[in-house]
PDB file of all heavy atoms in Angstrom:
ATOM      1  N   LYS A 242     -50.512 -36.688  14.393  1.00  0.00           N
ATOM      2  CA  LYS A 242     -49.368 -37.544  14.067  1.00  0.00           C
ATOM      3  C   LYS A 242     -48.107 -36.980  14.705  1.00  0.00           C
ATOM      4  O   LYS A 242     -48.106 -35.846  15.173  1.00  0.00           O
ATOM      5  CB  LYS A 242     -49.139 -37.567  12.552  1.00  0.00           C
ATOM      6  CG  LYS A 242     -50.330 -37.954  11.731  1.00  0.00           C
ATOM      7  CD  LYS A 242     -49.909 -37.942  10.269  1.00  0.00           C
ATOM      8  CE  LYS A 242     -51.135 -37.981   9.378  1.00  0.00           C
ATOM      9  NZ  LYS A 242     -50.846 -37.964   7.982  1.00  0.00           N
ATOM     10  N   GLU A 243     -47.032 -37.775  14.630  1.00  0.00           N
ATOM     11  CA  GLU A 243     -45.749 -37.283  15.126  1.00  0.00           C
ATOM     12  C   GLU A 243     -45.345 -36.016  14.382  1.00  0.00           C
ATOM     13  O   GLU A 243     -45.663 -35.855  13.206  1.00  0.00           O
ATOM     14  CB  GLU A 243     -44.664 -38.342  14.852  1.00  0.00           C
ATOM     15  CG  GLU A 243     -44.448 -39.243  16.016  1.00  0.00           C
ATOM     16  CD  GLU A 243     -43.293 -40.198  15.782  1.00  0.00           C
ATOM     17  OE1 GLU A 243     -42.475 -39.974  14.871  1.00  0.00           O
ATOM     18  OE2 GLU A 243     -43.238 -41.186  16.522  1.00  0.00           O
ATOM     19  N   LEU A 244     -44.611 -35.169  15.059  1.00  0.00           N
ATOM     20  CA  LEU A 244     -44.144 -33.935  14.435  1.00  0.00           C
ATOM     21  C   LEU A 244     -43.189 -34.267  13.289  1.00  0.00           C
ATOM     22  O   LEU A 244     -42.209 -34.986  13.498  1.00  0.00           O
ATOM     23  CB  LEU A 244     -43.409 -33.120  15.512  1.00  0.00           C
ATOM     24  CG  LEU A 244     -43.275 -31.626  15.347  1.00  0.00           C
ATOM     25  CD1 LEU A 244     -44.630 -30.946  15.208  1.00  0.00           C
ATOM     26  CD2 LEU A 244     -42.523 -31.057  16.539  1.00  0.00           C
ATOM     27  N   PRO A 245     -43.473 -33.782  12.077  1.00  0.00           N
ATOM     28  CA  PRO A 245     -42.501 -33.996  10.997  1.00  0.00           C
ATOM     29  C   PRO A 245     -41.204 -33.228  11.289  1.00  0.00           C
ATOM     30  O   PRO A 245     -41.240 -32.182  11.950  1.00  0.00           O
ATOM     31  CB  PRO A 245     -43.199 -33.439   9.760  1.00  0.00           C
ATOM     32  CG  PRO A 245     -44.646 -33.363  10.117  1.00  0.00           C
ATOM     33  CD  PRO A 245     -44.683 -33.121  11.601  1.00  0.00           C
ATOM     34  N   ASN A 246     -40.091 -33.727  10.792  1.00  0.00           N
ATOM     35  CA  ASN A 246     -38.807 -33.068  11.071  1.00  0.00           C
ATOM     36  C   ASN A 246     -38.811 -31.598  10.681  1.00  0.00           C
ATOM     37  O   ASN A 246     -38.269 -30.750  11.391  1.00  0.00           O
ATOM     38  CB  ASN A 246     -37.674 -33.788  10.332  1.00  0.00           C
ATOM     39  CG  ASN A 246     -37.370 -35.138  10.951  1.00  0.00           C
ATOM     40  OD1 ASN A 246     -37.959 -35.507  11.977  1.00  0.00           O
ATOM     41  ND2 ASN A 246     -36.474 -35.884  10.344  1.00  0.00           N
ATOM     42  N   GLN A 247     -39.424 -31.296   9.534  1.00  0.00           N
ATOM     43  CA  GLN A 247     -39.394 -29.912   9.056  1.00  0.00           C
ATOM     44  C   GLN A 247     -40.172 -28.969   9.977  1.00  0.00           C
ATOM     45  O   GLN A 247     -39.992 -27.757   9.937  1.00  0.00           O
ATOM     46  CB  GLN A 247     -39.917 -29.805   7.610  1.00  0.00           C
ATOM     47  CG  GLN A 247     -41.331 -30.301   7.383  1.00  0.00           C
ATOM     48  CD  GLN A 247     -41.386 -31.760   6.987  1.00  0.00           C
ATOM     49  OE1 GLN A 247     -40.610 -32.579   7.470  1.00  0.00           O
ATOM     50  NE2 GLN A 247     -42.309 -32.102   6.098  1.00  0.00           N
ATOM     51  N   ASN A 248     -41.044 -29.516  10.815  1.00  0.00           N
ATOM     52  CA  ASN A 248     -41.804 -28.695  11.759  1.00  0.00           C
ATOM     53  C   ASN A 248     -41.158 -28.661  13.144  1.00  0.00           C
ATOM     54  O   ASN A 248     -41.735 -28.099  14.075  1.00  0.00           O
ATOM     55  CB  ASN A 248     -43.250 -29.167  11.853  1.00  0.00           C
ATOM     56  CG  ASN A 248     -44.010 -28.960  10.556  1.00  0.00           C
ATOM     57  OD1 ASN A 248     -44.056 -29.849   9.713  1.00  0.00           O
ATOM     58  ND2 ASN A 248     -44.553 -27.774  10.359  1.00  0.00           N
ATOM     59  N   GLY A 249     -39.968 -29.286  13.263  1.00  0.00           N
ATOM     60  CA  GLY A 249     -39.234 -29.129  14.517  1.00  0.00           C
ATOM     61  C   GLY A 249     -39.177 -30.349  15.404  1.00  0.00           C
ATOM     62  O   GLY A 249     -39.034 -30.228  16.616  1.00  0.00           O
ATOM     63  N   ALA A 250     -39.283 -31.538  14.800  1.00  0.00           N
ATOM     64  CA  ALA A 250     -39.232 -32.778  15.578  1.00  0.00           C
ATOM     65  C   ALA A 250     -37.918 -32.850  16.341  1.00  0.00           C
ATOM     66  O   ALA A 250     -36.912 -32.321  15.894  1.00  0.00           O
ATOM     67  CB  ALA A 250     -39.352 -33.985  14.635  1.00  0.00           C
ATOM     68  N   PRO A 251     -37.938 -33.512  17.497  1.00  0.00           N
ATOM     69  CA  PRO A 251     -39.129 -34.129  18.085  1.00  0.00           C
ATOM     70  C   PRO A 251     -39.865 -33.219  19.062  1.00  0.00           C
ATOM     71  O   PRO A 251     -40.908 -33.610  19.575  1.00  0.00           O
ATOM     72  CB  PRO A 251     -38.527 -35.327  18.838  1.00  0.00           C
ATOM     73  CG  PRO A 251     -37.184 -34.838  19.292  1.00  0.00           C
ATOM     74  CD  PRO A 251     -36.700 -33.883  18.219  1.00  0.00           C
ATOM     75  N   LEU A 252     -39.347 -31.993  19.266  1.00  0.00           N
ATOM     76  CA  LEU A 252     -39.904 -31.134  20.296  1.00  0.00           C
ATOM     77  C   LEU A 252     -39.725 -29.691  19.893  1.00  0.00           C
ATOM     78  O   LEU A 252     -38.600 -29.244  19.667  1.00  0.00           O
ATOM     79  CB  LEU A 252     -39.105 -31.394  21.592  1.00  0.00           C
ATOM     80  CG  LEU A 252     -39.673 -30.897  22.901  1.00  0.00           C
ATOM     81  CD1 LEU A 252     -40.975 -31.602  23.225  1.00  0.00           C
ATOM     82  CD2 LEU A 252     -38.662 -31.136  24.028  1.00  0.00           C
ATOM     83  N   ARG A 253     -40.838 -28.936  19.804  1.00  0.00           N
ATOM     84  CA  ARG A 253     -40.706 -27.513  19.471  1.00  0.00           C
ATOM     85  C   ARG A 253     -41.669 -26.705  20.318  1.00  0.00           C
ATOM     86  O   ARG A 253     -42.685 -27.207  20.802  1.00  0.00           O
ATOM     87  CB  ARG A 253     -40.893 -27.241  17.988  1.00  0.00           C
ATOM     88  CG  ARG A 253     -42.169 -27.561  17.296  1.00  0.00           C
ATOM     89  CD  ARG A 253     -43.206 -26.505  17.092  1.00  0.00           C
ATOM     90  NE  ARG A 253     -43.025 -25.231  16.500  1.00  0.00           N
ATOM     91  CZ  ARG A 253     -43.169 -24.923  15.212  1.00  0.00           C
ATOM     92  NH1 ARG A 253     -43.383 -25.849  14.306  1.00  0.00           N
ATOM     93  NH2 ARG A 253     -43.099 -23.694  14.817  1.00  0.00           N
TER      94      ARG A 253
END
Side-chain angles (χ1 to χ4, degrees):
K242 306 181 194 180
E243 266 185 16
L244 203 57
N246 288 356
Q247 58 268 37
N248 294 92
L252 195 64
R253 61 96 53 91

